Amino acid sequence: MKKLFLFIGLLLSFLVISCSGSDAYQGEWKATNNNKEEFFISFDRDNFIVTDAQGNTETYEYTQHSYKSHNSVVTYGIRLSKDGRELKVHFPIPKNENIGYIMSAQDQIIFTLSRDEFITPDDINKF
């Protein structure tokens, strides 16, 4: 009976941990939207904060629900807790998780992300 409870406890722990955000996109990002407006985005394990140039912030709780990798191009699927919207954190350059996008479920770019500088999709296409 103890082994059954231990197994169930480990399984539940695994499920809770697997729903939190990946280390690949956690941390601080410089982001640019389609209007070339600059933002700062900070990802934690279960939420992210978007800060605009005026210092206004918006916090979004999320869970990660998918992971895809093809030819070392990685995409994480996240679901916003408030409204169920699905987004993607996409790293289009193989083996590079320092430059990417936040995209809609329909693959429209919402933000271009970089750890180091504000960039646009055109900048990413140069790589």
Side-chain angles (χ1 to χ4, degrees):
M1 190 69 161
K2 286 183 182 180
K3 288 182 181 181
L4 178 62
F5 283 124
L6 179 62
F7 175 74
I8 291 172
L10 289 173
L11 182 62
L12 289 175
S13 296
F14 176 75
L15 291 174
V16 169
I17 291 169
S18 68
C19 292
S20 62
S22 170
D23 290 339
Y25 56 82
Q26 286 185 37
E28 305 295 322
W29 293 92
K30 293 179 179 170
T32 308
N33 69 6
N34 291 331
N35 296 327
K36 298 187 179 171
E37 298 170 315
E38 297 176 349
F39 298 83
F40 291 94
I41 299 178
S42 178
F43 275 93
D44 288 328
R45 293 189 73 68
D46 57 1
N47 68 63
F48 64 95
I49 300 169
V50 179
T51 306
D52 67 16
Q54 292 75 36
N56 300 313
T57 62
E58 188 139 3
T59 301
Y60 300 90
E61 292 184 13
Y62 74 93
T63 55
Q64 180 179 315
H65 66 86
S66 68
Y67 168 85
K68 293 180 187 174
S69 178
H70 181 70
N71 293 332
S72 299
V73 172
V74 178
T75 304
Y76 299 90
I78 62 174
R79 182 174 293 120
L80 302 184
S81 301
K82 184 177 181 179
D83 60 11
R85 224 175 345 153
E86 293 188 13
L87 302 175
K88 299 176 185 178
V89 180
H90 177 69
F91 298 104
I93 301 169
K95 299 181 183 178
N96 183 343
E97 293 180 338
N98 292 312
I99 295 174
Y101 302 116
I102 295 178
M103 304 169 66
S104 71
Q106 296 77 29
D107 294 333
Q108 293 179 316
I109 297 171
I110 300 169
F111 290 108
T112 304
L113 304 172
S114 171
R115 296 275 187 193
D116 302 319
E117 60 187 320
F118 294 102
I119 61 174
T120 66
D122 292 334
D123 295 327
I124 291 178
N125 292 333
K126 293 177 186 174
F127 287 101

